Amino acid sequence: MELIPAIDIIDGRCVRLTKGDYEQKTEYGDPVLMAQEFERIGYRRLHVVDLDGAKARHIVNSDVLRRITTATKLVVDFGGGIKTDDDIETAFSCGAAMVTVGSVAVTQPELFRRWLTQYGPDRMILGADVRNGHISINGWKEDSPLELLPFLKSYVDMGVRNVLCTDIAKDGTLAGPATELYRQVMEAYPTLHLIASGGVSSMADIQQLSAAGIPAVVFGKAIYEGKINLKELWDWQNASYPAST
């Protein structure tokens, strides 16, 4: 299982929201220092979300992305506010190895399809943020009429390999992940590299996802609230999946 710590950014600082609510924000400090600590322990991937960008509908914290990718060798996937060709070029020029795109895939499918062809499926992560069974967009401010599995099918058929699926009702709550939801996705599309996101509260949650066959997991608040010991989690992953080290 691929373990991916997360850094969400508002005003250049590392934060976490609860259920995507910008009014329920907790700040945790300098995102660059956090990224360096993840790398020191041994983590190789990092999920970075520009929450200001998601709200503004264009990238805002590109300088923070550049600082992280300059200060570390982490493989960074970046999302939040990627709406135009300029935005995606900014993300890549600031060091992102991959981008997570959700809203554009809903509102401008032809643009997403072009990006998928232009940059290749290994650099594109389809963001599928789910609330009450429907895809949510624009920083989780709007719900679309699209249901999760049909939405995924249209892009799996197009060649998408990487999907980040977040259960918004779980995100930032430390209430446990939506394991059954992710299991349903994997049963429908077993070749996907599915990244589960939302609600992870402990190492046991991650072990549960692993046992369910989920390929990857993003986790954030559990780190910052001291619910997960990053070194213990890293050691567990290395013991469980020695070939991936």
Side-chain angles (χ1 to χ4, degrees), residues 148-184:
L148 175 61
L149 292 182
F151 171 72
L152 293 180
K153 184 179 189 308
S154 64
Y155 285 112
V156 169
D157 290 347
M158 228 178 268
V160 162
R161 299 174 190 161
N162 303 290
V163 171
L164 174 71
C165 185
T166 302
D167 185 337
I168 296 170
K170 296 277 191 177
D171 194 70
T173 65
L174 299 175
T179 305
E180 185 55 35
L181 175 68
Y182 307 132
R183 198 195 316 269
Q184 291 172 11

PDB file of all heavy atoms in Angstrom, residues 148-184:
ATOM      1  N   LEU A 148     -20.888   8.732  -8.509  1.00  0.00           N
ATOM      2  CA  LEU A 148     -19.478   8.360  -8.505  1.00  0.00           C
ATOM      3  C   LEU A 148     -19.114   7.321  -9.559  1.00  0.00           C
ATOM      4  O   LEU A 148     -18.232   7.555 -10.394  1.00  0.00           O
ATOM      5  CB  LEU A 148     -19.074   7.857  -7.117  1.00  0.00           C
ATOM      6  CG  LEU A 148     -17.644   7.307  -6.994  1.00  0.00           C
ATOM      7  CD1 LEU A 148     -16.615   8.374  -7.322  1.00  0.00           C
ATOM      8  CD2 LEU A 148     -17.418   6.737  -5.596  1.00  0.00           C
ATOM      9  N   LEU A 149     -19.724   6.148  -9.541  1.00  0.00           N
ATOM     10  CA  LEU A 149     -19.276   5.057 -10.414  1.00  0.00           C
ATOM     11  C   LEU A 149     -19.447   5.370 -11.901  1.00  0.00           C
ATOM     12  O   LEU A 149     -18.524   5.119 -12.695  1.00  0.00           O
ATOM     13  CB  LEU A 149     -19.959   3.746 -10.032  1.00  0.00           C
ATOM     14  CG  LEU A 149     -19.550   3.167  -8.671  1.00  0.00           C
ATOM     15  CD1 LEU A 149     -20.258   1.845  -8.427  1.00  0.00           C
ATOM     16  CD2 LEU A 149     -18.040   2.996  -8.548  1.00  0.00           C
ATOM     17  N   PRO A 150     -20.578   5.942 -12.330  1.00  0.00           N
ATOM     18  CA  PRO A 150     -20.668   6.320 -13.749  1.00  0.00           C
ATOM     19  C   PRO A 150     -19.655   7.396 -14.134  1.00  0.00           C
ATOM     20  O   PRO A 150     -19.111   7.379 -15.252  1.00  0.00           O
ATOM     21  CB  PRO A 150     -22.107   6.835 -13.882  1.00  0.00           C
ATOM     22  CG  PRO A 150     -22.853   6.204 -12.765  1.00  0.00           C
ATOM     23  CD  PRO A 150     -21.874   6.097 -11.647  1.00  0.00           C
ATOM     24  N   PHE A 151     -19.400   8.325 -13.218  1.00  0.00           N
ATOM     25  CA  PHE A 151     -18.398   9.368 -13.471  1.00  0.00           C
ATOM     26  C   PHE A 151     -17.032   8.733 -13.694  1.00  0.00           C
ATOM     27  O   PHE A 151     -16.311   9.077 -14.648  1.00  0.00           O
ATOM     28  CB  PHE A 151     -18.361  10.326 -12.283  1.00  0.00           C
ATOM     29  CG  PHE A 151     -17.233  11.327 -12.314  1.00  0.00           C
ATOM     30  CD1 PHE A 151     -17.245  12.385 -13.212  1.00  0.00           C
ATOM     31  CD2 PHE A 151     -16.171  11.228 -11.421  1.00  0.00           C
ATOM     32  CE1 PHE A 151     -16.210  13.321 -13.232  1.00  0.00           C
ATOM     33  CE2 PHE A 151     -15.140  12.150 -11.430  1.00  0.00           C
ATOM     34  CZ  PHE A 151     -15.158  13.201 -12.341  1.00  0.00           C
ATOM     35  N   LEU A 152     -16.670   7.798 -12.848  1.00  0.00           N
ATOM     36  CA  LEU A 152     -15.368   7.134 -13.000  1.00  0.00           C
ATOM     37  C   LEU A 152     -15.294   6.343 -14.295  1.00  0.00           C
ATOM     38  O   LEU A 152     -14.259   6.345 -14.973  1.00  0.00           O
ATOM     39  CB  LEU A 152     -15.108   6.214 -11.807  1.00  0.00           C
ATOM     40  CG  LEU A 152     -14.898   6.878 -10.450  1.00  0.00           C
ATOM     41  CD1 LEU A 152     -14.647   5.820  -9.379  1.00  0.00           C
ATOM     42  CD2 LEU A 152     -13.762   7.882 -10.487  1.00  0.00           C
ATOM     43  N   LYS A 153     -16.378   5.662 -14.643  1.00  0.00           N
ATOM     44  CA  LYS A 153     -16.360   4.819 -15.842  1.00  0.00           C
ATOM     45  C   LYS A 153     -16.009   5.621 -17.086  1.00  0.00           C
ATOM     46  O   LYS A 153     -15.219   5.170 -17.935  1.00  0.00           O
ATOM     47  CB  LYS A 153     -17.704   4.127 -16.050  1.00  0.00           C
ATOM     48  CG  LYS A 153     -17.691   3.169 -17.243  1.00  0.00           C
ATOM     49  CD  LYS A 153     -19.008   2.466 -17.442  1.00  0.00           C
ATOM     50  CE  LYS A 153     -18.893   1.368 -18.506  1.00  0.00           C
ATOM     51  NZ  LYS A 153     -18.304   1.811 -19.779  1.00  0.00           N
ATOM     52  N   SER A 154     -16.569   6.819 -17.205  1.00  0.00           N
ATOM     53  CA  SER A 154     -16.316   7.625 -18.398  1.00  0.00           C
ATOM     54  C   SER A 154     -14.831   7.920 -18.563  1.00  0.00           C
ATOM     55  O   SER A 154     -14.324   7.985 -19.689  1.00  0.00           O
ATOM     56  CB  SER A 154     -17.110   8.933 -18.334  1.00  0.00           C
ATOM     57  OG  SER A 154     -16.679   9.741 -17.258  1.00  0.00           O
ATOM     58  N   TYR A 155     -14.115   8.068 -17.441  1.00  0.00           N
ATOM     59  CA  TYR A 155     -12.692   8.403 -17.525  1.00  0.00           C
ATOM     60  C   TYR A 155     -11.789   7.176 -17.509  1.00  0.00           C
ATOM     61  O   TYR A 155     -10.708   7.197 -18.105  1.00  0.00           O
ATOM     62  CB  TYR A 155     -12.318   9.386 -16.417  1.00  0.00           C
ATOM     63  CG  TYR A 155     -12.828  10.773 -16.734  1.00  0.00           C
ATOM     64  CD1 TYR A 155     -13.842  11.365 -15.994  1.00  0.00           C
ATOM     65  CD2 TYR A 155     -12.319  11.479 -17.824  1.00  0.00           C
ATOM     66  CE1 TYR A 155     -14.315  12.626 -16.310  1.00  0.00           C
ATOM     67  CE2 TYR A 155     -12.791  12.730 -18.159  1.00  0.00           C
ATOM     68  CZ  TYR A 155     -13.789  13.306 -17.399  1.00  0.00           C
ATOM     69  OH  TYR A 155     -14.262  14.545 -17.731  1.00  0.00           O
ATOM     70  N   VAL A 156     -12.214   6.104 -16.864  1.00  0.00           N
ATOM     71  CA  VAL A 156     -11.466   4.851 -16.959  1.00  0.00           C
ATOM     72  C   VAL A 156     -11.435   4.393 -18.413  1.00  0.00           C
ATOM     73  O   VAL A 156     -10.396   3.961 -18.934  1.00  0.00           O
ATOM     74  CB  VAL A 156     -12.084   3.778 -16.044  1.00  0.00           C
ATOM     75  CG1 VAL A 156     -11.474   2.408 -16.334  1.00  0.00           C
ATOM     76  CG2 VAL A 156     -11.887   4.143 -14.582  1.00  0.00           C
ATOM     77  N   ASP A 157     -12.567   4.532 -19.081  1.00  0.00           N
ATOM     78  CA  ASP A 157     -12.625   4.169 -20.503  1.00  0.00           C
ATOM     79  C   ASP A 157     -11.706   5.047 -21.343  1.00  0.00           C
ATOM     80  O   ASP A 157     -11.288   4.656 -22.440  1.00  0.00           O
ATOM     81  CB  ASP A 157     -14.069   4.298 -21.022  1.00  0.00           C
ATOM     82  CG  ASP A 157     -14.993   3.233 -20.454  1.00  0.00           C
ATOM     83  OD1 ASP A 157     -14.479   2.263 -19.859  1.00  0.00           O
ATOM     84  OD2 ASP A 157     -16.228   3.390 -20.581  1.00  0.00           O
ATOM     85  N   MET A 158     -11.398   6.235 -20.826  1.00  0.00           N
ATOM     86  CA  MET A 158     -10.550   7.188 -21.534  1.00  0.00           C
ATOM     87  C   MET A 158      -9.064   6.961 -21.256  1.00  0.00           C
ATOM     88  O   MET A 158      -8.204   7.564 -21.889  1.00  0.00           O
ATOM     89  CB  MET A 158     -10.925   8.601 -21.058  1.00  0.00           C
ATOM     90  CG  MET A 158     -11.151   9.620 -22.127  1.00  0.00           C
ATOM     91  SD  MET A 158     -11.636  11.170 -21.328  1.00  0.00           S
ATOM     92  CE  MET A 158     -13.391  10.953 -21.357  1.00  0.00           C
ATOM     93  N   GLY A 159      -8.765   6.118 -20.264  1.00  0.00           N
ATOM     94  CA  GLY A 159      -7.370   5.827 -19.962  1.00  0.00           C
ATOM     95  C   GLY A 159      -6.881   6.291 -18.611  1.00  0.00           C
ATOM     96  O   GLY A 159      -5.697   6.132 -18.283  1.00  0.00           O
ATOM     97  N   VAL A 160      -7.755   6.878 -17.789  1.00  0.00           N
ATOM     98  CA  VAL A 160      -7.345   7.299 -16.447  1.00  0.00           C
ATOM     99  C   VAL A 160      -6.916   6.085 -15.627  1.00  0.00           C
ATOM    100  O   VAL A 160      -7.595   5.046 -15.625  1.00  0.00           O
ATOM    101  CB  VAL A 160      -8.504   8.039 -15.736  1.00  0.00           C
ATOM    102  CG1 VAL A 160      -8.280   8.099 -14.235  1.00  0.00           C
ATOM    103  CG2 VAL A 160      -8.644   9.444 -16.296  1.00  0.00           C
ATOM    104  N   ARG A 161      -5.784   6.218 -14.939  1.00  0.00           N
ATOM    105  CA  ARG A 161      -5.274   5.130 -14.110  1.00  0.00           C
ATOM    106  C   ARG A 161      -5.286   5.467 -12.621  1.00  0.00           C
ATOM    107  O   ARG A 161      -5.313   4.581 -11.778  1.00  0.00           O
ATOM    108  CB  ARG A 161      -3.831   4.800 -14.508  1.00  0.00           C
ATOM    109  CG  ARG A 161      -3.664   4.341 -15.944  1.00  0.00           C
ATOM    110  CD  ARG A 161      -2.191   4.193 -16.276  1.00  0.00           C
ATOM    111  NE  ARG A 161      -1.978   3.972 -17.697  1.00  0.00           N
ATOM    112  CZ  ARG A 161      -0.809   4.162 -18.306  1.00  0.00           C
ATOM    113  NH1 ARG A 161       0.243   4.565 -17.613  1.00  0.00           N
ATOM    114  NH2 ARG A 161      -0.692   3.930 -19.605  1.00  0.00           N
ATOM    115  N   ASN A 162      -5.198   6.771 -12.317  1.00  0.00           N
ATOM    116  CA  ASN A 162      -5.071   7.217 -10.934  1.00  0.00           C
ATOM    117  C   ASN A 162      -6.306   8.011 -10.527  1.00  0.00           C
ATOM    118  O   ASN A 162      -6.677   8.979 -11.197  1.00  0.00           O
ATOM    119  CB  ASN A 162      -3.834   8.109 -10.779  1.00  0.00           C
ATOM    120  CG  ASN A 162      -2.567   7.415 -11.224  1.00  0.00           C
ATOM    121  OD1 ASN A 162      -2.099   6.495 -10.577  1.00  0.00           O
ATOM    122  ND2 ASN A 162      -2.011   7.853 -12.344  1.00  0.00           N
ATOM    123  N   VAL A 163      -6.914   7.614  -9.414  1.00  0.00           N
ATOM    124  CA  VAL A 163      -8.098   8.309  -8.906  1.00  0.00           C
ATOM    125  C   VAL A 163      -7.915   8.579  -7.418  1.00  0.00           C
ATOM    126  O   VAL A 163      -7.579   7.660  -6.649  1.00  0.00           O
ATOM    127  CB  VAL A 163      -9.381   7.483  -9.118  1.00  0.00           C
ATOM    128  CG1 VAL A 163     -10.562   8.124  -8.392  1.00  0.00           C
ATOM    129  CG2 VAL A 163      -9.691   7.347 -10.603  1.00  0.00           C
ATOM    130  N   LEU A 164      -8.124   9.818  -7.024  1.00  0.00           N
ATOM    131  CA  LEU A 164      -8.159  10.194  -5.612  1.00  0.00           C
ATOM    132  C   LEU A 164      -9.620  10.380  -5.231  1.00  0.00           C
ATOM    133  O   LEU A 164     -10.292  11.284  -5.726  1.00  0.00           O
ATOM    134  CB  LEU A 164      -7.385  11.492  -5.379  1.00  0.00           C
ATOM    135  CG  LEU A 164      -7.470  12.069  -3.963  1.00  0.00           C
ATOM    136  CD1 LEU A 164      -6.679  11.221  -2.984  1.00  0.00           C
ATOM    137  CD2 LEU A 164      -6.969  13.508  -3.928  1.00  0.00           C
ATOM    138  N   CYS A 165     -10.122   9.507  -4.367  1.00  0.00           N
ATOM    139  CA  CYS A 165     -11.533   9.543  -3.980  1.00  0.00           C
ATOM    140  C   CYS A 165     -11.645   9.968  -2.525  1.00  0.00           C
ATOM    141  O   CYS A 165     -11.101   9.305  -1.629  1.00  0.00           O
ATOM    142  CB  CYS A 165     -12.172   8.175  -4.185  1.00  0.00           C
ATOM    143  SG  CYS A 165     -13.952   8.162  -3.877  1.00  0.00           S
ATOM    144  N   THR A 166     -12.349  11.066  -2.293  1.00  0.00           N
ATOM    145  CA  THR A 166     -12.536  11.602  -0.949  1.00  0.00           C
ATOM    146  C   THR A 166     -14.016  11.572  -0.583  1.00  0.00           C
ATOM    147  O   THR A 166     -14.846  12.114  -1.310  1.00  0.00           O
ATOM    148  CB  THR A 166     -12.036  13.051  -0.860  1.00  0.00           C
ATOM    149  OG1 THR A 166     -10.663  13.114  -1.234  1.00  0.00           O
ATOM    150  CG2 THR A 166     -12.194  13.600   0.555  1.00  0.00           C
ATOM    151  N   ASP A 167     -14.322  10.949   0.539  1.00  0.00           N
ATOM    152  CA  ASP A 167     -15.666  11.032   1.099  1.00  0.00           C
ATOM    153  C   ASP A 167     -15.712  12.295   1.958  1.00  0.00           C
ATOM    154  O   ASP A 167     -15.147  12.337   3.055  1.00  0.00           O
ATOM    155  CB  ASP A 167     -15.968   9.793   1.938  1.00  0.00           C
ATOM    156  CG  ASP A 167     -17.394   9.767   2.459  1.00  0.00           C
ATOM    157  OD1 ASP A 167     -18.015  10.852   2.563  1.00  0.00           O
ATOM    158  OD2 ASP A 167     -17.901   8.680   2.766  1.00  0.00           O
ATOM    159  N   ILE A 168     -16.360  13.332   1.452  1.00  0.00           N
ATOM    160  CA  ILE A 168     -16.333  14.645   2.111  1.00  0.00           C
ATOM    161  C   ILE A 168     -16.907  14.574   3.520  1.00  0.00           C
ATOM    162  O   ILE A 168     -16.414  15.258   4.439  1.00  0.00           O
ATOM    163  CB  ILE A 168     -17.096  15.674   1.255  1.00  0.00           C
ATOM    164  CG1 ILE A 168     -16.384  15.852  -0.092  1.00  0.00           C
ATOM    165  CG2 ILE A 168     -17.214  17.011   1.975  1.00  0.00           C
ATOM    166  CD1 ILE A 168     -17.175  16.658  -1.106  1.00  0.00           C
ATOM    167  N   ALA A 169     -17.920  13.747   3.719  1.00  0.00           N
ATOM    168  CA  ALA A 169     -18.536  13.639   5.045  1.00  0.00           C
ATOM    169  C   ALA A 169     -17.554  13.103   6.085  1.00  0.00           C
ATOM    170  O   ALA A 169     -17.733  13.320   7.285  1.00  0.00           O
ATOM    171  CB  ALA A 169     -19.766  12.742   4.983  1.00  0.00           C
ATOM    172  N   LYS A 170     -16.514  12.420   5.615  1.00  0.00           N
ATOM    173  CA  LYS A 170     -15.514  11.853   6.523  1.00  0.00           C
ATOM    174  C   LYS A 170     -14.306  12.762   6.709  1.00  0.00           C
ATOM    175  O   LYS A 170     -13.591  12.670   7.710  1.00  0.00           O
ATOM    176  CB  LYS A 170     -15.028  10.507   5.968  1.00  0.00           C
ATOM    177  CG  LYS A 170     -16.081   9.413   5.880  1.00  0.00           C
ATOM    178  CD  LYS A 170     -16.238   8.722   7.209  1.00  0.00           C
ATOM    179  CE  LYS A 170     -17.075   7.467   7.091  1.00  0.00           C
ATOM    180  NZ  LYS A 170     -17.174   6.745   8.378  1.00  0.00           N
ATOM    181  N   ASP A 171     -14.052  13.626   5.734  1.00  0.00           N
ATOM    182  CA  ASP A 171     -12.788  14.357   5.686  1.00  0.00           C
ATOM    183  C   ASP A 171     -12.603  15.247   6.913  1.00  0.00           C
ATOM    184  O   ASP A 171     -13.467  16.060   7.250  1.00  0.00           O
ATOM    185  CB  ASP A 171     -12.719  15.212   4.426  1.00  0.00           C
ATOM    186  CG  ASP A 171     -11.312  15.714   4.170  1.00  0.00           C
ATOM    187  OD1 ASP A 171     -10.444  14.890   3.822  1.00  0.00           O
ATOM    188  OD2 ASP A 171     -11.071  16.917   4.352  1.00  0.00           O
ATOM    189  N   GLY A 172     -11.449  15.084   7.561  1.00  0.00           N
ATOM    190  CA  GLY A 172     -11.111  15.913   8.710  1.00  0.00           C
ATOM    191  C   GLY A 172     -11.854  15.573   9.982  1.00  0.00           C
ATOM    192  O   GLY A 172     -11.731  16.279  10.978  1.00  0.00           O
ATOM    193  N   THR A 173     -12.626  14.477   9.977  1.00  0.00           N
ATOM    194  CA  THR A 173     -13.435  14.139  11.146  1.00  0.00           C
ATOM    195  C   THR A 173     -12.770  13.138  12.074  1.00  0.00           C
ATOM    196  O   THR A 173     -13.210  12.964  13.215  1.00  0.00           O
ATOM    197  CB  THR A 173     -14.785  13.548  10.713  1.00  0.00           C
ATOM    198  OG1 THR A 173     -14.555  12.296  10.047  1.00  0.00           O
ATOM    199  CG2 THR A 173     -15.537  14.498   9.784  1.00  0.00           C
ATOM    200  N   LEU A 174     -11.749  12.426  11.576  1.00  0.00           N
ATOM    201  CA  LEU A 174     -11.110  11.344  12.323  1.00  0.00           C
ATOM    202  C   LEU A 174     -12.138  10.269  12.705  1.00  0.00           C
ATOM    203  O   LEU A 174     -12.006   9.617  13.732  1.00  0.00           O
ATOM    204  CB  LEU A 174     -10.404  11.880  13.577  1.00  0.00           C
ATOM    205  CG  LEU A 174      -9.280  12.900  13.348  1.00  0.00           C
ATOM    206  CD1 LEU A 174      -8.761  13.432  14.674  1.00  0.00           C
ATOM    207  CD2 LEU A 174      -8.147  12.276  12.550  1.00  0.00           C
ATOM    208  N   ALA A 175     -13.149  10.087  11.861  1.00  0.00           N
ATOM    209  CA  ALA A 175     -14.237   9.154  12.155  1.00  0.00           C
ATOM    210  C   ALA A 175     -14.059   7.809  11.473  1.00  0.00           C
ATOM    211  O   ALA A 175     -14.950   6.971  11.507  1.00  0.00           O
ATOM    212  CB  ALA A 175     -15.573   9.767  11.741  1.00  0.00           C
ATOM    213  N   GLY A 176     -12.917   7.603  10.830  1.00  0.00           N
ATOM    214  CA  GLY A 176     -12.676   6.355  10.105  1.00  0.00           C
ATOM    215  C   GLY A 176     -13.006   6.522   8.631  1.00  0.00           C
ATOM    216  O   GLY A 176     -13.878   7.312   8.257  1.00  0.00           O
ATOM    217  N   PRO A 177     -12.298   5.806   7.761  1.00  0.00           N
ATOM    218  CA  PRO A 177     -12.482   5.951   6.311  1.00  0.00           C
ATOM    219  C   PRO A 177     -13.732   5.251   5.803  1.00  0.00           C
ATOM    220  O   PRO A 177     -14.293   4.377   6.469  1.00  0.00           O
ATOM    221  CB  PRO A 177     -11.220   5.301   5.742  1.00  0.00           C
ATOM    222  CG  PRO A 177     -10.865   4.246   6.757  1.00  0.00           C
ATOM    223  CD  PRO A 177     -11.239   4.830   8.094  1.00  0.00           C
ATOM    224  N   ALA A 178     -14.139   5.636   4.601  1.00  0.00           N
ATOM    225  CA  ALA A 178     -15.308   5.032   3.950  1.00  0.00           C
ATOM    226  C   ALA A 178     -14.851   3.774   3.205  1.00  0.00           C
ATOM    227  O   ALA A 178     -14.907   3.698   1.977  1.00  0.00           O
ATOM    228  CB  ALA A 178     -15.954   6.038   3.007  1.00  0.00           C
ATOM    229  N   THR A 179     -14.434   2.778   3.948  1.00  0.00           N
ATOM    230  CA  THR A 179     -13.829   1.582   3.355  1.00  0.00           C
ATOM    231  C   THR A 179     -14.762   0.899   2.368  1.00  0.00           C
ATOM    232  O   THR A 179     -14.327   0.450   1.298  1.00  0.00           O
ATOM    233  CB  THR A 179     -13.410   0.597   4.464  1.00  0.00           C
ATOM    234  OG1 THR A 179     -12.550   1.267   5.390  1.00  0.00           O
ATOM    235  CG2 THR A 179     -12.696  -0.607   3.884  1.00  0.00           C
ATOM    236  N   GLU A 180     -16.038   0.811   2.701  1.00  0.00           N
ATOM    237  CA  GLU A 180     -16.986   0.122   1.819  1.00  0.00           C
ATOM    238  C   GLU A 180     -17.118   0.856   0.487  1.00  0.00           C
ATOM    239  O   GLU A 180     -17.215   0.224  -0.574  1.00  0.00           O
ATOM    240  CB  GLU A 180     -18.349  -0.007   2.487  1.00  0.00           C
ATOM    241  CG  GLU A 180     -19.360  -0.803   1.689  1.00  0.00           C
ATOM    242  CD  GLU A 180     -18.871  -2.189   1.305  1.00  0.00           C
ATOM    243  OE1 GLU A 180     -18.139  -2.822   2.108  1.00  0.00           O
ATOM    244  OE2 GLU A 180     -19.209  -2.653   0.195  1.00  0.00           O
ATOM    245  N   LEU A 181     -17.108   2.183   0.524  1.00  0.00           N
ATOM    246  CA  LEU A 181     -17.159   2.967  -0.712  1.00  0.00           C
ATOM    247  C   LEU A 181     -15.963   2.648  -1.596  1.00  0.00           C
ATOM    248  O   LEU A 181     -16.112   2.403  -2.806  1.00  0.00           O
ATOM    249  CB  LEU A 181     -17.183   4.458  -0.384  1.00  0.00           C
ATOM    250  CG  LEU A 181     -17.114   5.423  -1.577  1.00  0.00           C
ATOM    251  CD1 LEU A 181     -18.381   5.344  -2.411  1.00  0.00           C
ATOM    252  CD2 LEU A 181     -16.876   6.857  -1.091  1.00  0.00           C
ATOM    253  N   TYR A 182     -14.774   2.635  -1.004  1.00  0.00           N
ATOM    254  CA  TYR A 182     -13.565   2.365  -1.785  1.00  0.00           C
ATOM    255  C   TYR A 182     -13.552   0.918  -2.295  1.00  0.00           C
ATOM    256  O   TYR A 182     -13.079   0.655  -3.402  1.00  0.00           O
ATOM    257  CB  TYR A 182     -12.321   2.650  -0.941  1.00  0.00           C
ATOM    258  CG  TYR A 182     -12.314   4.031  -0.340  1.00  0.00           C
ATOM    259  CD1 TYR A 182     -12.025   4.234   1.010  1.00  0.00           C
ATOM    260  CD2 TYR A 182     -12.629   5.137  -1.120  1.00  0.00           C
ATOM    261  CE1 TYR A 182     -12.032   5.494   1.558  1.00  0.00           C
ATOM    262  CE2 TYR A 182     -12.648   6.408  -0.565  1.00  0.00           C
ATOM    263  CZ  TYR A 182     -12.350   6.578   0.777  1.00  0.00           C
ATOM    264  OH  TYR A 182     -12.376   7.836   1.334  1.00  0.00           O
ATOM    265  N   ARG A 183     -14.093   0.007  -1.489  1.00  0.00           N
ATOM    266  CA  ARG A 183     -14.175  -1.388  -1.919  1.00  0.00           C
ATOM    267  C   ARG A 183     -15.061  -1.512  -3.159  1.00  0.00           C
ATOM    268  O   ARG A 183     -14.746  -2.245  -4.105  1.00  0.00           O
ATOM    269  CB  ARG A 183     -14.710  -2.254  -0.782  1.00  0.00           C
ATOM    270  CG  ARG A 183     -14.424  -3.746  -0.954  1.00  0.00           C
ATOM    271  CD  ARG A 183     -15.260  -4.594  -0.021  1.00  0.00           C
ATOM    272  NE  ARG A 183     -15.314  -4.078   1.327  1.00  0.00           N
ATOM    273  CZ  ARG A 183     -14.473  -4.409   2.299  1.00  0.00           C
ATOM    274  NH1 ARG A 183     -13.488  -5.240   2.063  1.00  0.00           N
ATOM    275  NH2 ARG A 183     -14.620  -3.903   3.509  1.00  0.00           N
ATOM    276  N   GLN A 184     -16.159  -0.769  -3.178  1.00  0.00           N
ATOM    277  CA  GLN A 184     -17.058  -0.785  -4.331  1.00  0.00           C
ATOM    278  C   GLN A 184     -16.366  -0.266  -5.588  1.00  0.00           C
ATOM    279  O   GLN A 184     -16.546  -0.820  -6.680  1.00  0.00           O
ATOM    280  CB  GLN A 184     -18.305   0.054  -4.037  1.00  0.00           C
ATOM    281  CG  GLN A 184     -19.234  -0.535  -2.999  1.00  0.00           C
ATOM    282  CD  GLN A 184     -20.348   0.413  -2.603  1.00  0.00           C
ATOM    283  OE1 GLN A 184     -20.559   1.448  -3.240  1.00  0.00           O
ATOM    284  NE2 GLN A 184     -21.052   0.080  -1.531  1.00  0.00           N
TER     285      GLN A 184
END
